[in-house]
Amino acid sequence: MNDARVATMVMSRRGLLDVAVAGYGLSAIDALMAGVPPSALGGLDDAAIQAIKPDGIAAMALVAMAGGQVIETTLFGQASQAFNVSVTDRTLFHLGSVGKHVTAVAVLRLAEQGKLALDAPLSRYVQGIAPGWSRATIHQLLTHSGGLPGNFDGQDFDRPFTREKVSAFSKASLPVAAPGQVWVYSNVGYVLLGHVIENLTGDTYAQHITETLFRAHGLVDSRADDAEGIVPNRAEPLVWHDGVFRRAMQMSSTVSSVGAGGLLMSARDVPAWERALSGRALLDERSKTIMFTAARFDTGRSTGYGTGWRIESDGTGRPFFMHTGSVPGFRTYHFRAPVGDLALMLMAVGDTPMVPFGMAVTERQWHDRTPLARPAIADSAPALTAALRALVIDGKPVDARFLAPELARLPLPIATDAIARLDPEQRKRLKRFSLIEDVATTADRQRRYILDLGEQQIPLLACYSPEGLIYRVVI
């Protein structure tokens, strides 16, 4: 890889405390020999490394780009602990839900080709699905606003999964709301989008993504997963349990390769994919605008989600796009910022929350590009903060009277699940709950906080109607 600095490191049993992450493993001497001033590496010392490194990461690959060029590649740990095989730039990591944007690309391309209409209902392209589900439009499925459930009840990662099961589940489960009225993150919707792709192309989802998107655009390793198959160079999935790494749940191949997130990618393929996304090889400008524009509720307020991307702001008015991915034994964080044409892909083996880790790594790469860089500000509405703290930190039950229509339309258990909360272990570690942004318009009020857990900084966004009712709380 002649366009990047590569640091290859081997993981010790005690984790990652002894090695640098996010491409800062080069010493000052190495940096000078490479023509890179030490300050450009972010000045990571042991304390800084420990400050951003979570437990539970066994291996990782990081690729950072600016202006279409690779500026950092880090390969860390072992693709196989059992056989002492180090991660290379060809090691395949499961992307989990980061793969949703790839499914979205495939669907938007079909729309460009005139093979589907984004405003058409699912029923036009997939049969055998209950009417309550199939009324949702393709665009609503892409943006999680179709009113479908989040997941298939009773379907775990290790159980065989078929179209017949999807059809039966649709007939046994009502929508959570009418299409367009709510936002519920829906793996169900993206599984169905995979079926749309199959029906319109005549390919399996795996074939279409691997050949039509990946191979045709210069990706040589990346592919759909086959969890039960022998896949060369795929990292072994591991979880962190009682202080040691153990084998993760064996996924079924019928689950590991679905449209909701069933793809593998290598570090050496990331640049080709990012360049294709930035240019016109994959999508025209209209489709990219759709992809990176947040859908809106029928109230006119933003859902904060495009097609396969969360639409965020760094707190200074500069947008960025991100997504995380999670399947047994793998975690992923994907970041893109149009200002500066920045991109970062962090693929890992393990089981750690990726928003705080990914944003911390992003900040080490490009300071001041995420909410983590924002200082605390004076709180002009402490009552709102107190009520939010009771929900997010103290675990107070959700009172439907304080929910805006976007959440109030949901069954209360689902509305409760839609509000981000700290788990009991995180609550114990909380040191500060600081307001860093408070923006009010005629449509809503958005307040952003940093939850300081010591070794982790977690961003939290709370959105309110003009009446002070909650309609989004996300980490």
Side-chain angles (χ1 to χ4, degrees):
M1 300 181 68
N2 55 17
D3 60 348
R5 305 190 305 273
V6 180
T8 302
M9 296 157 271
V10 178
M11 188 194 70
S12 67
R13 194 59 171 170
R14 60 189 288 262
L16 312 188
L17 296 181
D18 299 324
V19 294
V21 299
Y24 303 117
L26 295 174
S27 67
I29 294 176
D30 293 330
L32 291 172
M33 291 177 65
V36 180
S39 61
L41 301 179
L44 276 181
D45 55 20
D46 286 346
I49 295 164
Q50 294 188 43
I52 67 172
K53 185 218 65 78
D55 289 333
I57 294 293
M60 61 176 258
L62 166 75
V63 179
M65 300 176 64
Q69 300 301 310
V70 177
I71 61 172
E72 194 75 59
T73 297
T74 292
L75 309 172
F76 170 83
Q78 294 172 308
S80 171
Q81 290 197 19
F83 295 99
N84 196 30
V85 177
S86 296
V87 169
T88 74
D89 65 345
R90 302 179 72 169
T91 299
L92 289 166
F93 294 83
H94 202 295
L95 296 181
S97 286
V98 165
K100 282 185 169 66
H101 83 280
V102 182
T103 298
V105 166
V107 171
L108 291 170
R109 283 166 61 88
L110 291 171
E112 289 180 9
Q113 296 161 11
K115 295 180 180 179
L116 66 76
L118 295 177
D119 60 356
L122 174 66
S123 58
R124 183 178 298 182
Y125 308 108
V126 179
Q127 286 68 54
I129 303 300
W133 286 26
S134 58
R135 282 195 293 269
T137 68
I138 299 301
H139 186 258
Q140 287 168 342
L141 296 181
L142 286 167
T143 57
H144 301 294
S145 57
L148 272 60
N151 291 295
F152 296 93
D153 289 342
Q155 176 63 49
D156 212 337
F157 286 99
D158 60 344
R159 299 183 183 180
F161 191 56
T162 64
R163 282 198 177 208
E164 290 73 23
K165 280 192 174 182
V166 175
S167 177
F169 186 80
S170 76
K171 295 167 184 175
S173 304
L174 294 173
V176 297
Q181 290 192 342
V182 300
W183 188 91
V184 173
Y185 186 84
S186 179
N187 287 312
V188 170
Y190 269 77
V191 168
L192 290 167
L193 289 169
H195 295 175
V196 171
I197 293 167
E198 292 180 335
N199 289 356
L200 293 180
T201 65
D203 298 330
T204 66
Y205 175 80
Q207 290 169 338
H208 187 76
I209 300 300
T210 302
E211 299 301 329
T212 304
L213 294 191
F214 287 170
R215 297 295 174 269
H217 294 90
L219 283 71
V220 295
D221 304 312
S222 303
R223 50 165 291 171
D225 191 26
D226 177 6
E228 297 169 88
I230 306 300
V231 178
N233 297 318
R234 181 179 55 199
E236 293 178 345
L238 302 174
V239 294
W240 182 249
H241 182 71
D242 290 339
V244 297
F245 288 105
R246 303 183 66 85
R247 286 280 304 178
M249 174 192 292
Q250 172 65 60
M251 289 194 288
S252 165
S253 290
T254 56
V255 173
S256 74
S257 57
V258 296
L263 305 175
L264 304 171
M265 188 169 284
S266 68
R268 73 170 180 168
D269 278 350
V270 170
W273 183 249
E274 292 296 340
R275 289 165 186 150
L277 273 179
S278 295
R280 296 191 178 185
L282 283 171
L283 297 173
D284 63 25
E285 290 304 314
R286 179 176 180 275
S287 292
K288 285 193 287 187
T289 298
I290 293 170
M291 172 168 273
F292 295 113
T293 299
R296 294 192 174 275
F297 297 104
D298 60 358
T299 61
R301 291 188 279 264
S302 174
T303 65
Y305 197 95
T307 67
W309 293 95
R310 279 179 56 175
I311 313 301
E312 295 280 355
S313 168
D314 65 6
T316 68
R318 294 174 300 190
F320 68 89
F321 317 120
M322 63 157 284
H323 214 288
T324 59
S326 172
V327 296
F330 292 98
R331 297 292 186 269
T332 314
Y333 171 87
H334 195 186
F335 168 93
R336 303 187 98 237
V339 178
D341 189 17
L342 309 179
L344 183 144
M345 180 76 85
L346 175 59
M347 304 176 289
V349 170
D351 57 352
T352 191
M354 289 303 284
V355 170
F357 181 38
M359 283 196 180
V361 171
T362 302
E363 278 298 314
R364 294 294 178 181
Q365 191 68 53
W366 303 291
H367 179 59
D368 202 34
R369 296 312 299 263
T370 77
L372 298 188
R374 305 274 73 79
I377 62 174
D379 192 346
S380 62
L384 283 180
T385 297
L388 184 67
R389 185 181 179 110
L391 282 177
V392 173
I393 298 171
D394 301 333
K396 180 181 177 181
V398 174
D399 188 332
R401 294 175 300 170
F402 301 110
L403 301 181
E406 295 89 340
L407 283 175
R409 292 164 177 161
L410 290 167
L412 190 58
I414 297 177
T416 298
D417 288 344
I419 295 174
R421 299 185 182 216
L422 297 187
D423 62 38
E425 184 58 36
Q426 289 174 321
R427 292 171 196 161
K428 293 177 185 177
R429 294 187 278 126
L430 182 69
K431 299 181 180 296
R432 283 180 296 278
F433 186 73
S434 304
L435 181 70
I436 61 168
E437 185 180 10
D438 187 356
V439 179
T441 68
T442 56
D444 69 357
R445 183 174 190 173
Q446 299 193 11
R447 290 164 59 86
R448 199 180 300 270
Y449 297 81
I450 293 294
L451 284 63
D452 182 358
L453 273 59
E455 75 283 2
Q456 279 186 345
Q457 309 293 308
I458 299 178
L460 179 84
L461 176 65
C463 301
Y464 301 85
S465 70
E467 299 76 27
L469 303 177
I470 294 173
Y471 73 90
R472 284 179 67 213
V473 180
V474 294
I475 289 176

